[in-house]
Structures are given as structure tokens and as C-alpha cells.
Amino acid sequence: LTSEKGQPPLCMQIDEKQLLVQLENEFYLLPLAHLQRTKLQQQFAQGVPVSQPLLMPISIESDENLLASAQSLYELLLTLSVEIGWTAKRIMLRKVPAGMRHMPWTQILPLLLNIDRSSEQPLQEQFVEVLISAESQYNNEQSASLWQWFVANEGTEVSTKIKQMGTCVPLAQWLKSYV
């Protein structure tokens, strides 16, 4: 199978973490996390999305250290459209950036509260990395959505980006050796 000229490259999800993409006669393994990172970076480059209330606020247990971290990060998190609240024993997540309610916030919140504030890496970049690390597996719907977004937004640079982000695999040679 080959894609027609002017059509996006063919791809298929091979597991929860990567796509197999065909560019002309070459095949590339493309980690879905790379597509997610690209999408999030572009979203934040256009400006931080507005806050969107969670339909069901998330609440996690906290200890003194986590509570202190939440209190010290409160203002910084607001700049990322993340709104939290707290009691003596719990931290609640109330709002998240628009379009991100589907993410696994129960896993993300503790990671977010433990980011390194002394790091030279900008908070926004750390935030993107936390989001990606928490969403390590992608179902068919998520991978198809990421692929469609990637092809639509990268335009003529799709092939170049795939070669930069993916790993070329000798699939055609492997298949020939078994025929």
C-alpha cells in the first residue's frame, strides 16, 4: 500500500504507544508521545488555553509536604489554567486548560505538585512533560485524533517531521526475508 501524491502518509497504530508510518518505500515507528508533545507545545505557543471546570472535581489525599507544594504552586498553576484548592488533608483540582478534561488528572495532579520549581526548564515545558508522562498509553480513538491533528497542522512538513521524530525500520527487508 502506498499513499497517493498529495495524500497524507499511511499509518497504523501498532500498540498503545506508537504508529507505523509509511513514507514512500520507508517505514517509521512514530511514538504517539512525540505527536502529543508537538500538539501541546503548539497549543501553548498560541497562548495558554482558558480554564475549563472539571465536570467532577478531582480530590487526592495530601500530607504536609504535598499541601505545602500545592500552596506554593497555586499562583503558578493559575498561569497554566489549572485551578486547585485544598483542605488540611485533601487537594482538589477544579479547573484545567480547555480541551484537556479527558486527560488522566488523578495521575497528573500528584506529578504536577512535585515539579521542580528550581529547574531552569520553564514551567510550561515541565507542565507539557507531566501531561505526556501521565498519558503513556493511547487508544485507537486518541491515536487517530493525534494523527489527524498532526497531518492537518504540519502541512507540507509532515514527511520531514516524521523523519525527525520517528525511527526508520527496515520493514520491507524484514518482510522479504520471510517470503
Side-chain angles (χ1 to χ4, degrees):
L1 294 173
T2 58
S3 60
E4 300 290 322
K5 288 280 185 200
Q7 295 295 315
L10 293 175
C11 81
M12 71 179 240
Q13 185 172 358
I14 58 169
D15 62 23
E16 303 87 19
K17 296 182 179 194
Q18 54 195 347
L19 299 173
L20 180 65
V21 181
Q22 181 180 10
L23 288 177
E24 297 166 8
N25 294 326
E26 293 182 316
F27 294 87
Y28 291 83
L29 286 177
L30 185 61
L32 288 160
H34 289 2
L35 298 182
Q36 181 75 9
R37 180 178 293 108
T38 301
K39 181 178 181 180
L40 291 169
Q41 287 171 339
Q42 284 190 14
Q43 285 177 331
F44 280 98
Q46 296 169 0
V48 177
V50 297
S51 288
Q52 185 176 44
L54 291 172
L55 299 175
M56 290 286 295
I58 292 171
S59 176
I60 61 170
E61 287 187 40
S62 86
D63 57 23
E64 286 181 26
N65 292 334
L66 200 56
L67 182 58
S69 179
Q71 291 169 338
S72 69
L73 282 170
Y74 179 75
E75 293 294 328
L76 288 173
L77 291 175
L78 285 176
T79 66
L80 297 170
S81 297
V82 174
E83 184 181 309
I84 59 172
W86 54 84
T87 64
K89 304 241 184 229
R90 303 207 63 80
I91 298 173
M92 287 85 56
L93 178 64
R94 295 185 179 121
K95 294 182 180 181
V96 298
M100 297 184 192
R101 287 195 300 204
H102 70 282
M103 298 185 96
W105 288 99
T106 306
Q107 297 163 347
I108 293 170
L109 184 57
L111 297 172
L112 195 53
L113 295 174
N114 285 307
I115 62 171
D116 184 5
R117 290 181 297 280
S118 64
S119 172
E120 290 187 16
Q121 184 182 21
L123 180 66
Q124 190 170 298
E125 288 178 21
Q126 290 184 65
F127 181 58
V128 166
E129 292 306 316
V130 165
L131 294 176
I132 292 166
S133 70
E135 194 164 26
S136 60
Q137 296 185 351
Y138 301 84
N139 63 33
N140 289 338
E141 185 180 320
Q142 291 169 315
S143 67
S145 175
L146 276 173
W147 177 251
Q148 289 170 354
W149 175 89
F150 178 71
V151 169
N153 283 278
E154 294 300 331
T156 59
E157 296 295 313
V158 168
S159 296
T160 304
K161 294 280 187 173
I162 290 169
K163 290 176 182 179
Q164 290 171 349
M165 292 190 292
T167 303
C168 188
V169 292
L171 184 62
Q173 292 172 348
W174 292 345
L175 293 174
K176 283 179 187 176
S177 70
Y178 290 102
V179 177

